[in-house]
Each structure stands twice: as structure tokens, then as C-alpha cells.
Amino acid sequence: MSADSDRATPAPRHEITSALGDALPFVISLLLTFSLIGMLGRRYGLDLSAMSVFSGLVMASPLQLTLLETPAQLLNTFGVLVSALSINLRFLVFTLSLKSSLEGPIKAYIPALAVMANGAFTLMAIRKQQQSISRPYANTVCFALYAAALLGTITGYSFAGLAASAVTEHASVVIALFLSASLGKLARERHSFHAQWIAALATAASLLWLGQISLMLVLGVTVLASYTYDRH
């Protein structure tokens, strides 16, 4: 009995470690994306608590960026709640598609599924093709990415309050460049590190040779690298 217990004990730790390794590239991407959202929220006069609730409820950066561009008189609590409800209905479909691959009753996964975003679903969908999804894996992936979104929002908001507007503009450009590194198969799983380094090196080269950041140059280099990788 004790031998069996010893063999079973490391399993949750292994699942957590595996989940953290799988989630790390997505964590970096979310930190960058939601930092940009936090900076924009500060620019548009929203307070930190509102931005935290905004990111915590909606959990969809494209929709959030769109809503932030909405005129202030139209962006109210009701609009945010309706948007959050409509966009998060997709997670019901996500959950149903994962149900057969979850180990144990689905009610045990409710906390994780309640904060599941696109990145977490992607990781679990890949996982279910290889093996069943354990509760430690689901919890780690979902809560790690959710925490990254909230931390990114707070970081971006705080940075925008401390830095000059010109510095914030430059930071927004750099973040946009790193997000452009999420193109193609190069950005899948741990390969996203390669794409991010390519974007960073292209940005440094642009500053060195041109004296400024050329968005078209960096984006072109990133797209070319991604296309070359896709061809292989």
C-alpha cells in the first residue's frame, strides 16, 4: 500500500510542473497584452479597480481593446457586463468539448473552468489529444493565465501612471511588436520564445541602424521568420 502511495504522490506535482511549462509562453504573452490594456485604461481615465474588474470579467483582450475605444458615455457597467456575458458563453461550448477528457466529475473543475480563457482552453485541448486532463493540470493552467491577465493589467496601469506619456507611447509600440511575434506556428507552445526573441532583435536592429523603431521592418522580419518556419 505504501509503495503504491509513494508512486502516486509525485503525480500531482508532475502535473503542476507540466502545466507551468506549457503555460509559460502564454503567461508572457498575456502579461504583455494586458499591460497594454492597463496602459490604455489609464489613458482613458478609468480607475485601477474598474480595469481589474474589466479584465477579470471579460478575459478577452481583442474585445477589451475594442471596448476601450468606445466613447466614454457608451462604456458603462451594463455594457461591460453584457459584453462579458456574451463573450464568456463560448466557454460553455469549450467546457462541453473537454468534458469527456476530464478526470473525475466535472463539478470538481468548476473553479478552473470559471476563469478559463482562450489560452487555457488551447492548452487543455492539446493536452486531451495526448492524455486525460487532471484537476491539478487544469487548475494550474487556468489560474496561472488568469493571474497573468490581472497582473498585466495592474502593471500596465501602474506604469502609465509613473511614466511620461512619451515613454508610455514607446512602451505601447514595443508591446505591439512582441504581440506581432504571436504569428504562425512559430508561436505555438514553447516556440513563442523564438518568435519573441526575433521581434526583440529586429527592434534593437531598427534602433541601431535607423535610430527609431520601424513597425513595418520589425513586423516584416517577424512575419518572414514565421513563414519560413511554417514552410518546414
Side-chain angles (χ1 to χ4, degrees), residues 105-128:
I106 193 171
K107 64 181 181 181
Y109 292 80
I110 288 177
L113 297 176
V115 298
M116 178 179 62
N118 291 331
F121 171 74
T122 299
L123 288 173
M124 289 193 286
I126 294 172
R127 181 78 166 187
K128 81 170 189 175

Side-chain angles (χ1 to χ4, degrees), residues 14 18 27 42 46 50 56 73 101 117 123 134 174 212:
H14 174 75
S18 177
V27 166
R42 180 74 181 234
L46 298 173
Q73 63 270 22
S101 301
L123 288 173
S134 67
V174 172
Q212 62 182 359

Side-chain angles (χ1 to χ4, degrees), residues 146-161:
Y146 190 71
L150 293 178
L151 179 60
T153 301
I154 295 170
T155 300
Y157 190 94
S158 302
F159 176 80

Side-chain angles (χ1 to χ4, degrees), residues 177 180 198-199 201-225:
L177 294 174
S180 74
I198 289 170
L201 291 173
T203 302
S206 176
L207 283 171
L208 180 64
W209 294 332
L210 303 178
Q212 62 182 359
I213 298 176
S214 171
L215 281 171
M216 290 305 297
L217 174 63
V218 178
L219 183 59
V221 170
T222 306
V223 171
L224 179 62

